Amino acid sequence: MSGPPLHVHTREDELFYVLEGEVVFQIADQRILAKVGTTLFLPRGSVHTYQNFTGHTARLLIMVTPAGVDRLFEEMSADSHGTSMPDPVFLESIFTKYGLRMMGPPLS
């Protein structure tokens, strides 16, 4: 179980909707347990991360506007071959390319 590092988007707003399971979100200094049906809107500039700490599947619908950050996920997946988070040096460079800034480690 893992999630993205604590980060901030400088270009996009994000909306998360929990379809299945439960996920812990950290938004700034606040932790939120998001269960099925929870919707969270994070305007650009919101420091955040999320993680599934359960042994059960969690599925999220994530909407991002404006478009374009989807290419970040394609590049990360190609680098990690779909097995884990990419190398930290690569991750830092791809975040910079797409206007994200790492603010800390993933949740633990």
Side-chain angles (χ1 to χ4, degrees), residues 63-75:
M63 293 175 266
V64 181
T65 184
V69 77
D70 52 305
R71 291 186 295 272
L72 171 139
F73 297 105
E74 292 171 0
E75 290 187 42

Side-chain angles (χ1 to χ4, degrees), residues 4-19:
L6 189 65
H7 65 282
V8 62
H9 295 253
T10 62
R11 303 175 187 164
E12 301 89 17
D13 301 323
E14 287 185 291
L15 183 123
F16 295 87
Y17 180 76
V18 181
L19 296 167

